[in-house]
Short mmCIF file of all heavy atoms in Angstrom, two decimals:
data_model
loop_
_atom_site.label_atom_id
_atom_site.label_comp_id
_atom_site.label_asym_id
_atom_site.label_seq_id
_atom_site.Cartn_x
_atom_site.Cartn_y
_atom_site.Cartn_z
N ALA F 5 56.55 62.92 337.85
CA ALA F 5 55.89 64.13 337.18
C ALA F 5 55.14 63.62 336.00
O ALA F 5 55.29 62.42 335.66
CB ALA F 5 56.96 65.13 336.80
N ILE F 6 54.22 64.41 335.54
CA ILE F 6 53.39 64.06 334.30
C ILE F 6 53.51 65.18 333.29
O ILE F 6 53.83 66.34 333.57
CB ILE F 6 51.94 63.85 334.69
CG1 ILE F 6 51.27 65.03 335.34
CG2 ILE F 6 51.87 62.62 335.49
CD1 ILE F 6 49.85 64.84 335.62
N THR F 7 53.34 64.62 332.06
CA THR F 7 53.35 65.57 330.94
C THR F 7 52.33 65.03 329.88
O THR F 7 52.10 63.74 329.96
CB THR F 7 54.71 65.80 330.26
OG1 THR F 7 54.58 66.78 329.28
CG2 THR F 7 55.35 64.56 329.82
N ARG F 8 52.00 65.80 328.91
CA ARG F 8 51.04 65.21 327.84
C ARG F 8 51.92 64.17 326.94
O ARG F 8 51.27 63.30 326.45
CB ARG F 8 50.57 66.43 326.95
CG ARG F 8 49.71 65.98 325.81
CD ARG F 8 48.56 65.09 326.21
NE ARG F 8 47.86 64.54 324.97
CZ ARG F 8 48.19 63.42 324.44
NH1 ARG F 8 49.17 62.65 324.92
NH2 ARG F 8 47.53 62.92 323.43
N ALA F 9 53.05 64.50 326.65
CA ALA F 9 53.91 63.56 325.74
C ALA F 9 55.37 63.68 326.10
O ALA F 9 55.97 64.73 326.00
CB ALA F 9 53.65 64.06 324.28
N VAL F 10 55.94 62.50 326.45
CA VAL F 10 57.32 62.54 326.85
C VAL F 10 58.22 62.64 325.58
O VAL F 10 57.78 62.37 324.50
CB VAL F 10 57.72 61.25 327.55
CG1 VAL F 10 57.10 61.15 328.95
CG2 VAL F 10 57.39 60.08 326.81
N PRO F 11 59.47 63.28 325.82
CA PRO F 11 60.46 63.30 324.60
C PRO F 11 60.52 61.82 324.11
O PRO F 11 60.68 60.87 324.81
CB PRO F 11 61.72 63.79 325.16
CG PRO F 11 61.17 64.56 326.48
CD PRO F 11 59.94 63.80 326.95
N PHE F 12 60.84 61.74 322.75
CA PHE F 12 61.01 60.52 321.94
C PHE F 12 59.85 59.55 322.04
O PHE F 12 60.07 58.42 321.58
CB PHE F 12 62.28 59.83 322.62
CG PHE F 12 63.53 60.73 322.66
CD1 PHE F 12 63.92 61.31 323.72
CD2 PHE F 12 64.17 60.95 321.39
CE1 PHE F 12 65.06 62.17 323.70
CE2 PHE F 12 65.38 61.84 321.26
CZ PHE F 12 65.73 62.33 322.50
N GLY F 13 58.74 59.94 322.66
CA GLY F 13 57.57 59.15 322.61
C GLY F 13 56.94 59.08 321.18
O GLY F 13 57.27 59.86 320.36
N PRO F 14 55.91 58.19 321.06
CA PRO F 14 55.31 57.99 319.76
C PRO F 14 54.31 59.16 319.36
O PRO F 14 53.88 59.31 318.19
CB PRO F 14 54.44 56.65 319.92
CG PRO F 14 54.25 56.58 321.35
CD PRO F 14 55.29 57.18 322.05
N GLU F 15 53.98 60.00 320.43
CA GLU F 15 52.92 61.08 320.10
C GLU F 15 53.62 62.39 320.50
O GLU F 15 54.09 62.62 321.60
CB GLU F 15 51.71 60.92 320.94
CG GLU F 15 50.88 59.56 320.49
CD GLU F 15 49.78 59.26 321.32
OE1 GLU F 15 49.55 60.05 322.33
OE2 GLU F 15 48.97 58.36 321.13
N GLN F 16 53.58 63.29 319.61
CA GLN F 16 53.98 64.78 319.89
C GLN F 16 52.76 65.63 319.55
O GLN F 16 52.23 65.43 318.35
CB GLN F 16 55.29 65.06 319.11
CG GLN F 16 56.39 64.01 319.26
CD GLN F 16 56.89 63.98 320.70
OE1 GLN F 16 56.83 65.11 321.41
NE2 GLN F 16 57.32 62.86 321.28
N GLU F 17 52.52 66.59 320.31
CA GLU F 17 51.37 67.51 320.13
C GLU F 17 51.92 68.96 319.86
O GLU F 17 52.65 69.37 320.52
CB GLU F 17 50.35 67.44 321.31
CG GLU F 17 49.15 68.27 321.14
CD GLU F 17 48.14 68.02 322.35
OE1 GLU F 17 48.45 67.09 323.17
OE2 GLU F 17 47.13 68.67 322.37
N ARG F 18 51.21 69.56 318.80
CA ARG F 18 51.61 70.89 318.41
C ARG F 18 50.40 71.87 318.63
O ARG F 18 49.18 71.41 318.69
CB ARG F 18 52.04 70.98 316.97
CG ARG F 18 53.41 70.30 316.82
CD ARG F 18 53.91 70.65 315.34
NE ARG F 18 53.98 72.03 314.99
CZ ARG F 18 55.11 72.78 315.39
NH1 ARG F 18 56.03 72.27 316.09
NH2 ARG F 18 55.04 74.01 314.99
N THR F 19 50.61 73.10 318.81
CA THR F 19 49.61 74.02 318.77
C THR F 19 50.06 75.27 318.01
O THR F 19 51.27 75.54 317.70
CB THR F 19 49.31 74.49 320.28
OG1 THR F 19 48.12 75.24 320.41
CG2 THR F 19 50.54 75.40 320.83
N TYR F 20 49.10 76.03 317.61
CA TYR F 20 49.42 77.32 316.90
C TYR F 20 48.90 78.49 317.77
O TYR F 20 47.93 78.38 318.51
CB TYR F 20 48.73 77.28 315.56
CG TYR F 20 49.37 76.23 314.61
CD1 TYR F 20 48.63 75.07 314.49
CD2 TYR F 20 50.46 76.44 313.94
CE1 TYR F 20 49.13 73.99 313.76
CE2 TYR F 20 50.97 75.48 313.22
CZ TYR F 20 50.35 74.28 313.00
OH TYR F 20 50.84 73.25 312.23
N PHE F 21 49.73 79.64 317.79
CA PHE F 21 49.38 80.65 318.71
C PHE F 21 49.68 81.98 318.07
O PHE F 21 50.19 82.10 316.95
CB PHE F 21 50.34 80.49 319.86
CG PHE F 21 51.73 80.52 319.71
CD1 PHE F 21 52.41 81.89 319.72
CD2 PHE F 21 52.42 79.47 319.30
CE1 PHE F 21 53.82 81.86 319.42
CE2 PHE F 21 53.90 79.54 319.15
CZ PHE F 21 54.47 80.79 319.15
N SER F 22 49.27 83.06 318.75
CA SER F 22 49.60 84.40 318.52
C SER F 22 50.14 85.03 319.72
O SER F 22 49.94 84.49 320.88
CB SER F 22 48.54 85.16 317.83
OG SER F 22 47.46 85.27 318.89
N ILE F 23 50.66 86.26 319.47
CA ILE F 23 51.32 86.87 320.81
C ILE F 23 50.53 88.16 321.00
O ILE F 23 50.34 88.96 320.16
CB ILE F 23 52.70 87.22 320.52
CG1 ILE F 23 53.59 85.86 320.31
CG2 ILE F 23 53.33 87.98 321.70
CD1 ILE F 23 54.99 86.20 319.93
N GLU F 24 50.03 88.31 322.17
CA GLU F 24 49.21 89.38 322.55
C GLU F 24 50.07 90.79 322.47
O GLU F 24 51.15 90.77 322.84
CB GLU F 24 48.68 89.33 324.04
CG GLU F 24 47.70 90.40 324.44
CD GLU F 24 47.22 90.17 325.90
OE1 GLU F 24 47.98 90.45 326.89
OE2 GLU F 24 46.09 89.80 326.07
N GLY F 25 49.42 91.69 321.76
CA GLY F 25 49.98 92.99 321.54
C GLY F 25 50.82 93.21 320.18
O GLY F 25 51.30 94.31 319.97
N ARG F 26 50.85 91.99 319.55
CA ARG F 26 51.57 92.03 318.29
C ARG F 26 50.57 92.42 317.21
O ARG F 26 49.35 91.98 317.41
CB ARG F 26 52.21 90.73 317.86
CG ARG F 26 53.46 90.32 319.02
CD ARG F 26 54.75 90.85 318.61
NE ARG F 26 55.73 90.66 319.56
CZ ARG F 26 56.56 89.60 319.50
NH1 ARG F 26 56.44 88.77 318.54
NH2 ARG F 26 57.47 89.44 320.47
N PRO F 27 51.03 92.77 316.12
CA PRO F 27 50.06 93.03 314.95
C PRO F 27 49.48 91.71 314.46
O PRO F 27 50.10 90.67 314.63
CB PRO F 27 50.92 93.62 313.80
CG PRO F 27 52.16 94.21 314.48
CD PRO F 27 52.32 93.22 315.73
N PRO F 28 48.26 91.67 313.76
CA PRO F 28 47.62 90.47 313.47
C PRO F 28 48.49 89.77 312.39
O PRO F 28 49.27 90.46 311.61
CB PRO F 28 46.36 90.91 312.86
CG PRO F 28 46.08 92.26 313.42
CD PRO F 28 47.38 92.85 313.70
N LEU F 29 48.49 88.42 312.41
CA LEU F 29 49.32 87.70 311.47
C LEU F 29 48.79 87.75 310.11
O LEU F 29 47.62 88.06 309.89
CB LEU F 29 49.27 86.32 311.92
CG LEU F 29 49.94 85.91 313.29
CD1 LEU F 29 49.84 84.38 313.62
CD2 LEU F 29 51.43 86.27 313.30
N ALA F 30 49.64 87.72 309.06
CA ALA F 30 49.22 87.84 307.58
C ALA F 30 48.40 86.53 307.34
O ALA F 30 48.51 85.57 308.03
CB ALA F 30 50.47 87.96 306.85
N LYS F 31 47.69 86.76 306.36
CA LYS F 31 46.71 85.57 305.91
C LYS F 31 47.53 84.39 305.56
O LYS F 31 48.50 84.39 304.87
CB LYS F 31 45.88 86.01 304.76
CG LYS F 31 44.95 84.88 304.39
CD LYS F 31 44.00 85.35 303.21
CE LYS F 31 42.89 84.25 302.84
NZ LYS F 31 42.09 84.74 301.75
N GLY F 32 47.30 83.29 306.24
CA GLY F 32 48.01 81.98 305.95
C GLY F 32 49.23 81.83 306.92
O GLY F 32 49.79 80.75 306.90
N GLU F 33 49.54 82.89 307.74
CA GLU F 33 50.72 82.76 308.56
C GLU F 33 50.28 82.22 309.86
O GLU F 33 49.32 82.52 310.44
CB GLU F 33 51.46 84.15 308.74
CG GLU F 33 52.70 84.10 309.58
CD GLU F 33 53.17 85.47 309.88
OE1 GLU F 33 52.60 86.37 309.50
OE2 GLU F 33 54.17 85.59 310.52
N ARG F 34 51.22 81.27 310.38
CA ARG F 34 50.86 80.64 311.68
C ARG F 34 52.12 80.47 312.53
O ARG F 34 53.19 80.06 311.89
CB ARG F 34 50.13 79.35 311.60
CG ARG F 34 48.78 79.48 310.87
CD ARG F 34 48.03 78.16 311.08
NE ARG F 34 48.50 76.94 310.56
CZ ARG F 34 48.09 75.72 310.41
NH1 ARG F 34 46.97 75.54 311.24
NH2 ARG F 34 48.77 74.65 309.93
N LEU F 35 52.01 80.84 313.83
CA LEU F 35 53.18 80.61 314.67
C LEU F 35 52.94 79.17 315.41
O LEU F 35 51.98 78.95 316.04
CB LEU F 35 53.27 81.54 315.75
CG LEU F 35 53.31 83.06 315.24
CD1 LEU F 35 53.50 84.06 316.31
CD2 LEU F 35 54.53 83.31 314.12
#
């Protein structure tokens, strides 16, 4: 199988998101 970054590897990638149907996030807030 393949993935972008395996566990315990040197590179870990993050993303920030919102959830459809939820109120807009407050200024400066990120999920």
Side-chain angles (χ1 to χ4, degrees):
I6 58 177
T7 184
R8 174 61 189 89
V10 292
F12 305 100
E15 299 174 353
Q16 305 297 327
E17 186 173 349
R18 289 185 61 79
T19 193
Y20 295 97
F21 64 90
S22 60
I23 300 172
E24 189 177 74
R26 297 273 179 90
L29 298 176
K31 186 176 181 180
E33 182 183 3
R34 296 195 297 179
L35 309 181

